[in-house]
Amino acid sequence: MLVLNSTEKGDSRIALLSEKLSAKKIALGFDGYIDSIVRIVKSKREDGSQVYFEDSAEFGGYIIEKADKNFSLELEQELFKVGGNMPITANAFARLGCKVDCVGALGLPDIHHIFQQMSANCTLYSYAEPGMSTAVEFRNSKMMMAESTQINNADWPYIRETIGISQLRTIFSDKDLIGLLNWSELAHSTGVWRGLLDDVLPFTTGNVSKPMGLFDLSDCSKKTHAQLMEALELLHRFSKHWEVVLSLNMNESALIYNALMQNGKKVPGIADTGKAIFDAIGFDAVGLHKVLVHHSTEACCCDVDGVSQRTTQKLTNPRLLTGAGDNFNTGFCAALLLEMNTGEALEMGHSITRHYITHAESPHLAQVLHY
């Protein structure tokens, strides 16, 4: 749990923080998936119980061993749930008490029943049927396989027409935090970003100060260098409207580091990677407020004040990995909304993530705060 120093009674302090967080308004977009969480059966014992591939390297070796041969795999479904970066993040914020407007592929013409299970604090706006994602989980990692046909057919003019430009301007007005998530997996993400910048943000109202702008690119392995640089350059335009926070996991930070440095050198440790990205993009040039890099056991945040870093214990038997990064982002940003310092925000990210992967659900605020 996150431990904060306070002279007030714990319950009273938690109530005050909950009240403050419940007043925060958030808008998130633009994906939406239904996740099938599965494990791969390696063998079966005589009593019929199953042995699973627990390690991704072990499974990779098995696949290589089967080269040029026909073979089959048995999957066991463990969970069927809300998926996609936006819905998972939205539900995590909502369970903390925030009010969240969600724009995504959540079902059309009606919201799919799986998303109707999200917190009542979420207001859902859908432009397409959701994608389908099979998440193969190992003890140490996961492998995502997604079908995104309808999502990838939805460009900015289609989203603008389906949701309505007036509605979009309302959704993105008067917010404390706005998140644009899963840029990599949505075919028209860059066009959607440009559409927001041209058609929506100049017409938003109600913000006395800049809201936080959370950007999570997701796995950009399939993107070209030019596409990646174009997305990073758009952060400059967003910084005129929002305080930009770029969140990256270890894989994504390595890809961004290599794209920016182009020096062929080995990617350094997490803190040095985050600082290099922050320095290369440039606060003054782009308006980048923070670079957040997170991994299962450590995370760092780089900004004009320097580098903050926190570690956490690795959990050896997680119940659910898919969505862990989204919950980390939620914890980190929620702490900043509560005006905690960067170190506390990193601890909050770790704390919410630990709860999520241990209990297979996002926590309420009181479950992660201990006084």
Side-chain angles (χ1 to χ4, degrees):
M1 290 186 178
L2 176 64
V3 179
L4 301 179
N5 294 322
S6 175
T7 57
E8 301 176 69
K9 291 183 179 180
D11 290 346
S12 174
R13 182 62 174 161
I14 290 174
L16 288 172
L17 291 175
S18 295
E19 182 179 1
K20 187 173 183 178
L21 208 51
S22 68
K24 301 301 181 182
K25 294 176 286 186
I26 294 170
L28 302 175
F30 279 88
D31 70 348
Y33 288 84
I34 297 173
D35 281 348
S36 176
I37 311 298
V38 303
R39 300 184 74 183
I40 303 176
V41 178
K42 178 182 178 181
S43 61
K44 295 186 178 181
R45 301 183 181 94
E46 289 186 5
D47 63 1
S49 62
Q50 299 180 137
V51 178
Y52 304 104
F53 283 99
E54 298 288 350
D55 187 273
S56 54
E58 178 191 20
F59 176 64
Y62 176 84
I63 296 295
I64 293 171
E65 182 185 319
K66 297 293 184 180
D68 300 321
K69 302 173 185 176
N70 298 325
F71 66 100
S72 64
L73 294 170
E74 180 180 350
L75 304 179
E76 180 171 292
Q77 186 179 81
E78 295 198 328
L79 192 62
F80 193 64
K81 60 179 281 293
V82 166
N85 297 80
M86 183 280 289
I88 294 173
T89 305
N91 202 51
F93 271 117
R95 285 178 63 84
L96 292 176
C98 303
K99 303 298 186 293
V100 190
D101 286 340
C102 312
V103 184
L106 308 174
L108 204 67
D110 300 316
I111 300 295
H112 192 284
H113 69 86
I114 202 80
F115 297 106
Q116 293 175 10
Q117 300 170 19
M118 293 172 65
S119 168
N121 285 333
C122 294
T123 302
L124 309 183
Y125 303 88
S126 181
Y127 62 83
E129 284 291 292
M132 301 298 295
S133 175
T134 300
V136 180
E137 294 208 348
F138 305 98
R139 175 175 38 80
N140 61 337
S141 60
K142 65 180 185 288
M143 177 175 64
M144 307 291 291
M145 297 179 288
E147 185 281 309
S148 311
T149 302
Q150 287 210 25
I151 299 176
N152 285 338
N153 288 335
D155 58 9
W156 173 247
Y158 177 81
I159 294 174
R160 183 181 58 199
E161 177 68 21
T162 305
I163 303 295
I165 190 62
S166 178
Q167 185 68 75
L168 285 165
R169 290 171 179 172
T170 299
I171 289 169
F172 287 95
S173 289
D174 193 25
K175 293 297 187 288
D176 299 286
L177 182 147
I178 297 168
L180 301 185
L181 313 173
N182 205 358
W183 168 81
S184 297
E185 291 190 6
L186 305 184
H188 297 285
S189 282
T190 301
V192 171
W193 285 18
R194 291 189 180 279
L196 284 174
L197 287 163
D198 294 337
D199 300 338
V200 175
L201 298 189
F203 306 95
T204 55
T205 59
N207 287 324
V208 177
S209 58
K210 287 183 180 180
M212 195 186 317
L214 171 65
F215 290 81
D216 189 330
L217 302 182
S218 297
D219 185 1
C220 22
S221 303
K222 298 187 295 292
K223 296 294 187 179
T224 66
H225 179 265
Q227 289 172 324
L228 191 53
M229 295 308 296
E230 182 181 11
L232 294 176
E233 288 166 6
L234 285 177
L235 297 182
H236 171 64
R237 291 184 62 189
F238 279 110
S239 72
K240 297 177 182 178
H241 304 277
W242 307 335
E243 296 283 358
V244 173
V245 176
L246 176 62
S247 177
L248 307 165
N249 66 22
M250 286 288 284
N251 175 52
E252 295 149 11
S253 67
L255 291 168
I256 300 294
Y257 177 88
N258 288 326
L260 291 170
M261 301 300 121
Q262 293 189 295
N263 55 15
K265 293 183 179 179
K266 181 181 178 181
V267 178
I270 188 170
D272 290 337
T273 299
K275 187 176 187 307
I277 292 171
F278 183 82
D279 291 343
I281 296 177
F283 178 84
D284 293 330
V286 178
L288 189 63
H289 191 58
K290 296 181 186 295
V291 170
L292 175 64
V293 183
H294 52 91
H295 184 50
S296 60
T297 59
E298 57 183 334
C300 74
C301 179
C302 307
D303 56 25
V304 291
D305 295 321
V307 180
S308 296
Q309 189 169 5
R310 293 292 187 275
T311 60
T312 189
Q313 184 177 358
K314 186 176 182 64
L315 298 177
T316 55
N317 293 298
R319 285 185 60 190
L320 179 63
L321 290 175
T322 304
D326 301 315
N327 276 263
F328 185 90
N329 287 338
T330 298
F332 179 83
C333 292
L336 294 183
L337 291 174
L338 291 172
E339 299 178 343
M340 296 182 187
N341 62 43
T342 303
E344 290 170 334
L346 292 170
E347 291 174 11
M348 181 89 150
H350 281 315
S351 185
I352 285 183
T353 305
R354 283 196 302 272
H355 186 283
Y356 178 80
I357 66 178
T358 301
H359 299 281
E361 66 175 7
S362 299
H364 298 292
L365 186 62
Q367 293 174 297
V368 292
L369 294 181
H370 176 63
Y371 295 83

